[in-house]
Amino acid sequence: MRALMRMCGAAGLVLLWAAGPAAADDDGGFTIEDPRITESSGLAASRAHPGIYWTHNDSSDGPYVYAVDSRTGRTVARVTMEGVGRPRDVEAISLGPDGDLYVGDIGDNRDGTWKNVWIYRFHEPAELKDQTVRATQYTVQYADGPRNAEALMVHPRTGRVYIASKRENGGGLYEGPARLSASGTNVFRRVGEVPWVTDGAFSPDGTKLALRGYFSLAQYAWKGGDGDPLGDWDAVAGTPVQGQSESVTYTPDGSALMVGSEGADSPVARVPLTGDGAKSPSAGGGSTRTGGVASGGDFTLGAIVLAGATALGVGARRVLRRRAD
């Protein structure tokens, strides 16, 4: 697997050169201009404020969440959460059907040594301005022991919270209780298998789950119910390679995915959903795993091939544009 990841890294450098940041701008992306945001690690599209995306820093920051205007890339509000402890490693943000923002302090760079992680929750502010809000803190444990995670997703219909753990040879999808409890420990149980995931998001109608890795982005059919909730997956065509692929969210109308990266002046790219990506092995035939979930190796290798085709397509479009000019 390490050899495969080294190959992924080399492919990523080549594809980054081929695709370049301009690929994001061509499809309506933006750049986060706030110098305070240097480790954007999660994205959530606002429902109350069109064109606004919520983000946060990864670590070494306070209890802050930022509202960024996608039309200008500028921060229009910084929200300070009170009533919670000092965040340790915030990795994800998601908007629930109740209009509440869920902030996932779920990272563990020591690869699963923290006994507890936390979720912070507060209602999306009606007015965009710098303000302090009272947040609810939830303590989270995994039924099968501590682990590192970077993806937290709230289902837009049921309000149930899911976390995807992060391991280079594949992680797990964990389902929280039907209702989170602020007074006790919330035990998340493993309900599915996922590849190496750095962020995830449900589609606005709740029928798809997008999972992102460093060199991959795919949509899974969401089956829900008992057992493995993940159905067949489709790799998302046209996904740009970014310096450190850390975040993903759907646009409010579900027509595209927004993908972001860490770093100062980090780009957020808009990826239209055209439905012409690579299919999972189970689509139209047998499956390599229950529910059609690809193994980490198969998924990542497929993503490299898809990314290569995407880069060639971008390069060809640029050549044609130059000739046309």
Side-chain angles (χ1 to χ4, degrees), residues 47 95-100 102 154-160:
R47 290 199 204 102
L95 188 64
D98 49 11
D100 286 359
Y102 294 70
V154 182
H155 195 274
R157 290 184 177 174
T158 68
R160 201 151 196 163

Side-chain angles (χ1 to χ4, degrees), residues 253-315:
D253 64 0
S255 66
L257 286 163
M258 304 295 288
V259 294
S261 175
E262 287 191 359
D265 299 318
S266 57
V268 177
R270 182 179 185 273
V271 184
L273 294 171
T274 60
D276 57 357
K279 305 291 185 180
S280 67
S282 63
S287 172
T288 56
R289 281 193 186 180
T290 301
V293 181
S295 69
D298 291 342
F299 182 88
T300 306
L301 186 57
I304 293 172
V305 174
L306 177 63
T310 299
L312 289 173
V314 171

